[in-house]
Amino acid sequence: MRKRDQGLQQHITTDQVNGTRKSALSAKTSKRNTSGHKGVSWLASRNKWRASIGYQGRQISLGYFNRLDDAVKARKKAEQEYHHPHM
């Protein structure tokens, strides 16, 4: 194994808590994000806001909402439940 690969493997090992990457929890919102909120996006096919959260390598759907505020509230509640115990 090359030294670079060993360093990467060590980072991955030390960055994870119960299968969740700690660095991903504090990552910036993507430039492509149109809602302004991490984990909240507009789903044109349903004409609704979708909230989701990543946890232990899975993407968990939090539901579809008519109002952006409701989707943001659902995401923030899920962050408290899924992410904050690992921070």
Side-chain angles (χ1 to χ4, degrees):
M1 185 180 291
R2 296 190 316 210
K3 187 174 183 175
R4 180 191 69 178
D5 295 335
Q6 288 174 341
L8 176 62
Q9 187 61 40
Q10 182 181 2
H11 169 71
I12 290 171
T13 302
T14 58
D15 189 43
Q16 286 190 7
V17 175
N18 293 330
T20 298
R21 288 184 14 245
K22 293 183 289 185
S23 60
L25 303 181
S26 59
K28 294 180 182 178
T29 304
S30 168
K31 292 178 184 178
R32 298 183 307 170
N33 183 304
T34 57
S35 71
H37 301 278
K38 198 172 180 181
V40 177
S41 59
W42 177 251
L43 192 61
S45 63
R46 291 190 180 210
N47 203 28
K48 293 187 183 283
W49 292 99
R50 174 177 51 192
S52 62
I53 194 165
Y55 182 68
Q56 295 184 339
R58 298 177 299 136
Q59 194 67 16
I60 301 168
S61 176
L62 303 173
Y64 300 93
F65 304 87
N66 291 320
R67 296 177 6 156
L68 174 61
D69 292 350
D70 293 335
V72 171
K73 285 178 189 174
R75 168 62 192 213
K76 292 208 180 286
K77 181 179 177 188
E79 287 176 6
Q80 291 295 320
E81 180 181 340
Y82 291 102
H83 290 174
H84 285 284
H86 302 292
M87 293 181 94

